[in-house]
Amino acid sequence: MLNYNEPQINRLIELVLLSDGFYNIKKSYDGIKALETIKSDKPDLILLDVMLPSLDGFSLCKKIKEDEYLKSIQVIMLTAKKMEEDIIKGFESGAIDYISKPFNNKILLARVKAHLKNVNFSSHSYRNIIIDDVKKTVTINNQEVELTKFEYKILKTFVSNVGAVFSRSQLLSYLRGDDGFDISERAIDVQILNLRRKLGEVGSNIETIRGLGYKLKE
């Protein structure tokens, strides 16, 4: 998630993240609105500007870390301020890192990836679906749904990137992986059809984007 008070910089960071495969990105330019978004759609990591209207970055970070549900979120402060007391205040508020402008794109990505390694990705959820990545199981309303290996991979990809559109070729590359299976792009349509059927009502949220591919509705 990006919380930045400058739309142009916000967009630049978004493009940098998108270019490296990060699809499920939320943006906000206001501290209060950002907190509302964070509570309704808990992100794994936040790039947080100190100078936000309504609620500054230090105060927002503190509120996140004081909330039992939100405190596991990784927060990186991203600002033009370089004064020692501001850096210390950022860490005291609960931030795990501090990057000053002007920033290097490669360093920004490296920091994001390094801190995301500390996030527990053992489970993923979407509405009433829970994916347990340790047990490799999928449950809907606490009832386990039996999926094939490929169906599981597709569902996990969608749930991890809600709202992002994936082409058949992209999904095909995820399915092939290192296993070397020879799968045609049309086989993806069959996998999607079966997945929709097995997921029941929730399966209708897997949308076909004509001429582009598929996505999971936000």
Side-chain angles (χ1 to χ4, degrees):
M1 181 171 180
L2 304 175
N3 294 318
Y4 217 89
N5 71 338
E6 299 178 50
Q8 291 180 331
I9 301 295
N10 207 319
R11 179 56 177 163
L12 172 62
I13 297 172
E14 181 183 23
L15 291 173
V16 169
L17 294 173
L18 286 170
S19 68
D20 204 71
F22 294 95
Y23 297 103
N24 194 11
I25 301 171
K26 304 289 184 181
K27 297 183 291 183
S28 181
Y29 308 104
D30 176 278
I32 296 296
K33 291 180 181 178
L35 184 58
E36 292 174 358
T37 302
I38 292 165
K39 287 181 176 180
S40 64
D41 188 10
K42 181 183 175 184
D44 297 310
L45 182 142
I46 299 173
L47 292 174
L48 178 61
D49 188 9
V50 169
M51 305 301 291
L52 287 174
S54 301
L55 185 68
D56 67 81
F58 296 131
S59 300
L60 176 55
C61 186
K62 191 173 181 181
K63 285 182 177 293
I64 292 169
K65 293 303 175 179
E66 289 175 347
D67 189 298
E68 193 65 29
Y69 173 65
L70 303 177
K71 68 180 183 180
S72 62
I73 299 172
Q74 309 284 292
V75 179
I76 299 177
M77 290 287 191
L78 189 59
T79 178
K81 292 195 172 186
K82 297 181 180 179
M83 295 177 64
E84 185 176 278
E85 55 263 37
D86 290 321
I87 297 174
I88 293 173
K89 190 174 180 180
F91 286 125
E92 288 178 344
S93 299
I96 54 168
D97 209 344
Y98 202 105
I99 303 176
S100 297
K101 295 187 296 183
F103 55 87
N104 179 285
N105 293 347
K106 290 183 179 179
I107 291 177
L108 176 67
L109 280 172
R111 296 275 185 89
V112 168
K113 289 178 180 178
H115 292 303
L116 281 176
K117 288 181 180 178
N118 297 323
V119 178
N120 180 11
F121 289 112
S122 62
S123 65
H124 309 262
S125 62
Y126 172 81
R127 302 196 179 185
N128 56 346
I129 298 176
I130 296 178
I131 301 175
D132 189 320
D133 213 21
V134 175
K135 298 178 181 178
K136 303 297 181 186
T137 58
V138 174
T139 57
I140 299 179
N141 294 327
N142 297 319
Q143 295 294 315
E144 188 170 338
V145 179
E146 189 172 333
L147 300 180
T148 65
K149 177 182 176 181
F150 291 163
E151 291 164 356
Y152 178 89
K153 281 187 175 183
I154 290 175
L155 180 61
K156 180 183 170 184
T157 298
F158 284 148
V159 171
S160 299
N161 300 279
V162 176
V165 178
F166 291 91
S167 65
R168 289 183 179 86
S169 59
Q170 283 179 306
L171 293 173
L172 188 59
S173 67
Y174 298 151
L175 296 189
R176 280 177 174 160
D178 299 323
D179 298 325
F181 291 110
D182 185 17
I183 313 169
S184 69
E185 287 195 8
R186 280 298 163 191
I188 296 297
D189 297 335
V190 176
Q191 300 290 332
I192 294 292
L193 184 64
N194 290 336
L195 187 55
R196 282 172 172 157
R197 177 176 52 80
K198 291 182 179 181
L199 295 179
E201 292 183 3
V202 187
S204 63
N205 290 306
I206 300 177
E207 298 182 319
T208 301
I209 309 302
R210 190 174 180 84
L212 295 176
Y214 298 96
K215 77 169 187 176
L216 188 60
K217 186 190 300 183
E218 293 185 78

